[in-house]
Amino acid sequence: MQLPRGKNFAIVLLFLTVFHTTTKSGTDAEELSVDVGTEEEVIAEDDEISTGKASLVLDDNEDIDSAFNNEDDVPEENDECSRISPKEIFHNEIHLRLLHALDEMSHFVEAVLIRIESALNTLLPHVQESPIGNLRVEDLFPEVRRFLHGTMRDVYDVVRASWRDLIRTHVAEASDASQQLNALRIVRDAQIQGEEKIKASLMELSVTLRAIILNSIYVLQESLKLPEHTEPKEAAAQINQKLPKVAPNFLGTLMMKIIEKGENRDAYKKLLTNTLRYITGPVNKMYEQLEDLNKAGPSTENLQIYWKSMIEESHLRLIEDPIEPPKYEIVYQNEEYLAGLVLGLMATF
């Protein structure tokens, strides 16, 4: 296996600490006409996330609507609440699927980072003059957490705000298909761009993990002081022999798997990158059907028929693919499975 050069990868790791402190959540995407708060509010929110005061991870007994201030603030005439409305689709399905997708990612990120962070603290004392030693673990991991959780919170805020604008538009312009189509276009674009931001943040996580794992292999090999022309198989055998002593943990599992399979990305199962697929797919279809209806010059009655049809399709999706209570804590306790996801992440990006 072609092992990394320690000094070069040390520079990569040091660069990552700077990168994450200067990079905003996600990649620069086309701005949407959705107000998600001032810069000061975002900074304050990130501080809360980093200290554990705010998180996308909810307790089993915590009310989702209360946790995310999801009260219904879209008034209708005569205080009536119409069930033939995008409000029905959002509250009954889309909002929950969005929360579940982001909550799962939040649990995955935390499960990986907490294990890698602990493993590095175990490994470093065993390796003298380690280039990883130049990395301030206590600085990097909080920054990675802040970056990833900040991205997820930004995506949630933008997608939720776009849906609320659609609901307001539907209430105010009940017979105007073009206005509703414009609002639905913003919803569609918000979800697509949110998915791209999540993809970019996962790519950064992949780069960070790759640098850490490959450096760990390198410094462990260096600590063994093997002869210069040692065969890769012999080097791998020596590293495997020492791993249980210095890295009997999640990091050691990842190192062993990479030593055994090499860095060839085709050796690992890649992950799906469309993390919001359970909401982007239905909304794309909704948009296409409303676009066709708008071209035909719809009446108020046709719009009501359209939304009734969309609600029926939403109910069918919930029957065919129900939203089950999450069990992420249990799933991610399986370190073998979690290691497979990490290697898949590295193979994907």
Side-chain angles (χ1 to χ4, degrees):
M1 179 181 68
Q2 183 65 37
L3 294 174
R5 298 294 180 185
K7 292 183 179 179
N8 292 339
F9 261 69
I11 293 173
V12 171
L13 282 170
L14 292 172
F15 166 77
L16 285 170
T17 63
V18 177
F19 178 85
H20 284 293
T21 59
T22 57
T23 303
K24 293 182 180 179
S25 299
T27 55
D28 292 334
E30 180 182 354
E31 294 186 356
L32 300 173
S33 58
V34 179
D35 181 13
V36 295
T38 63
E39 182 178 357
E40 290 79 6
E41 289 172 336
V42 173
I43 292 174
E45 192 171 77
D46 283 347
D47 290 340
E48 288 180 347
I49 290 171
S50 65
T51 57
K53 296 178 181 177
S55 172
L56 286 168
V57 182
L58 303 179
D59 295 333
D60 291 338
N61 297 325
E62 186 175 1
D63 181 74
I64 290 177
D65 285 352
S66 298
F68 288 90
N69 191 29
N70 196 44
E71 72 282 356
D72 185 0
D73 62 355
V74 184
E76 299 186 42
E77 293 182 2
N78 302 321
D79 293 327
E80 294 180 358
C81 181
S82 172
R83 300 297 297 271
I84 310 302
S85 163
K87 184 190 302 183
E88 175 82 3
I89 300 173
F90 177 69
H91 287 292
N92 281 0
E93 181 191 12
I94 299 296
H95 185 236
L96 294 176
R97 292 199 190 280
L98 174 64
L99 279 175
H100 277 236
L102 296 178
D103 198 29
E104 181 176 12
M105 181 176 169
S106 180
H107 275 93
F108 168 71
V109 167
E110 189 58 31
V112 171
L113 293 183
I114 197 170
R115 285 171 170 79
I116 295 289
E117 185 176 19
S118 174
L120 283 178
N121 289 327
T122 301
L123 174 63
L124 289 178
H126 293 274
V127 183
Q128 295 180 352
E129 299 179 0
S130 165
I132 298 181
N134 296 326
L135 169 69
R136 293 180 61 83
V137 175
E138 64 273 19
D139 292 336
L140 173 62
F141 285 90
E143 292 298 336
V144 173
R145 284 186 175 93
R146 188 177 298 114
F147 171 72
L148 290 165
H149 286 290
T151 296
M152 288 183 279
R153 188 71 197 216
D154 287 349
V155 169
Y156 174 82
D157 286 342
V158 172
V159 171
R160 176 172 173 264
S162 70
W163 269 95
R164 296 179 77 79
D165 282 347
L166 170 62
I167 295 168
R168 291 188 181 96
T169 300
H170 179 266
V171 171
E173 306 289 348
S175 61
D176 193 330
S178 62
Q179 290 293 333
Q180 294 183 41
L181 182 64
N182 288 335
L184 189 54
R185 180 184 298 113
I186 292 175
V187 170
R188 181 198 63 179
D189 292 346
Q191 293 180 172
I192 291 174
Q193 292 181 27
E195 195 165 65
E196 289 301 313
K197 290 183 73 173
I198 292 174
K199 186 185 300 185
S201 68
L202 288 175
M203 185 180 299
E204 294 303 329
L205 176 62
S206 175
V207 170
T208 303
L209 295 177
R210 178 181 294 275
I212 290 173
I213 296 167
L214 295 184
N215 259 280
S216 298
I217 295 173
Y218 173 82
V219 298
L220 191 56
Q221 183 186 37
E222 289 294 294
S223 72
L224 293 173
K225 300 187 183 303
L226 299 174
E228 184 176 352
H229 299 293
T230 301
E231 291 293 327
K233 288 185 177 180
E234 176 61 24
Q238 293 286 342
I239 293 173
N240 275 336
Q241 186 175 2
K242 190 171 183 179
L243 267 178
K245 299 178 182 178
V246 300
N249 44 41
F250 184 65
L251 178 59
T253 300
L254 291 169
M255 292 166 67
M256 289 180 66
K257 288 184 177 295
I258 290 180
I259 290 170
E260 292 170 358
K261 291 188 176 182
E263 295 180 56
N264 183 6
R265 297 188 178 190
D266 293 335
Y268 307 96
K269 184 178 180 179
K270 296 183 179 181
L271 305 182
L272 296 174
T273 58
N274 50 338
T275 52
L276 301 183
R277 57 190 175 278
Y278 293 111
I279 65 173
T280 54
V283 169
N284 288 341
K285 184 177 180 180
M286 287 172 58
Y287 179 80
E288 292 170 0
Q289 293 186 21
L290 184 56
E291 188 177 39
D292 292 339
L293 188 65
N294 185 52
K295 291 176 182 177
S299 62
T300 302
E301 181 181 357
N302 287 338
L303 269 174
Q304 290 177 341
I305 294 173
Y306 164 79
W307 283 114
K308 183 178 180 180
S309 174
M310 295 303 98
I311 290 168
E312 289 174 352
E313 289 188 16
S314 175
H315 290 170
L316 285 175
R317 286 194 297 271
L318 287 170
I319 294 173
E320 295 172 356
D321 184 20
I323 303 173
E324 302 289 348
K327 299 178 181 179
Y328 309 128
E329 297 92 340
I330 299 175
V331 170
Y332 294 140
Q333 284 178 1
N334 185 334
E335 293 197 351
E336 189 74 17
Y337 173 71
L338 190 62
L341 292 180
V342 171
L343 294 171
L345 180 70
M346 292 167 56
T348 305
F349 300 106

